[in-house]
Amino acid sequence: YPAIGGPQKGSRGDIRFLGTAGAGPLPLDRPHQLKVYGTRVFPVGVTVGVGFNAQSGTPLTALAANPVYDSDGEIPETPRGAGFETVDGFRDRTPWTHTFDVHVGYRIPLPGVSNVSLVADVFNLFDTQDVTGYDNYTESAFQVPNPDFGRVLSYQAPRLFRIGARLAW
């Protein structure tokens, strides 16, 4: 296949990028992650915890449709992680994502039972909405351009609340 010299039969993709010519970061590669957690238990039975998570974005690779099976997003047009033009400008990775989470618990001692704990958690406290995915399919079918190429497909999860009770005996 290296002797073919480029895409064949009207294909935008190049199968040489499926091998060593396409070597680069894998699709879910996140080389940087930061996780910080802390918890404090107060004498009155209250527990407060905080967490901060940050991670670098995933690599972006433009994918063309397979000319044989007519299925979208199978043949890379560039080496892995080479990037493409998005609605946010040229990017070779999705943006960093980060969340700040909070936990509060209150332990109530019960006679005959060890205790009941009331808990509340807030995930993504500041409701950050960073991009987690772009449409990287350049064609929706073989030789049919994808009008959504480069648009945002997904954002990180919005602020979430969890309330519960825990019985320990």
Side-chain angles (χ1 to χ4, degrees):
Y1 287 111
I4 65 174
Q8 300 290 306
K9 301 180 181 169
S11 175
R12 293 176 57 144
D14 190 336
I15 62 171
R16 294 175 302 166
F17 293 131
L18 293 172
T20 56
L26 295 173
L28 295 179
D29 174 64
R30 292 184 185 269
H32 303 97
Q33 293 191 23
L34 173 65
K35 298 179 181 190
V36 180
Y37 298 96
T39 302
R40 173 72 191 231
V41 179
F42 295 95
V44 294
V46 175
T47 302
V48 177
V50 295
F52 176 76
N53 294 296
Q55 57 188 355
S56 58
T58 57
L60 297 173
T61 305
L63 300 173
N66 187 319
V68 177
Y69 304 111
D70 197 30
S71 54
D72 58 351
E74 287 193 19
I75 311 295
E77 293 186 21
T78 62
R80 288 191 307 246
F84 53 82
E85 190 69 30
T86 70
V87 293
D88 299 323
F90 183 86
R91 293 194 176 272
D92 59 358
R93 285 185 174 271
T94 57
W96 276 70
T97 58
H98 60 283
T99 61
F100 187 77
D101 307 324
V102 177
H103 167 84
V104 176
Y106 179 63
R107 187 175 48 87
I108 305 168
L110 295 177
V113 177
S114 182
N115 62 62
V116 170
S117 296
L118 303 175
V119 296
D121 297 303
V122 181
F123 303 99
N124 195 3
L125 179 67
F126 300 117
D127 200 24
T128 55
Q129 295 292 301
D130 297 317
V131 174
T132 58
Y134 292 99
D135 190 343
N136 64 333
Y137 293 179
T138 59
E139 298 175 316
S140 53
F142 182 59
Q143 295 184 334
V144 178
N146 178 5
D148 294 327
F149 174 64
R151 290 194 181 159
V152 175
L153 281 181
S154 58
Y155 294 93
Q156 69 186 87
R159 181 182 308 122
L160 299 171
F161 299 93
R162 177 172 60 192
I163 299 173
R166 188 176 349 185
L167 175 64
W169 64 92

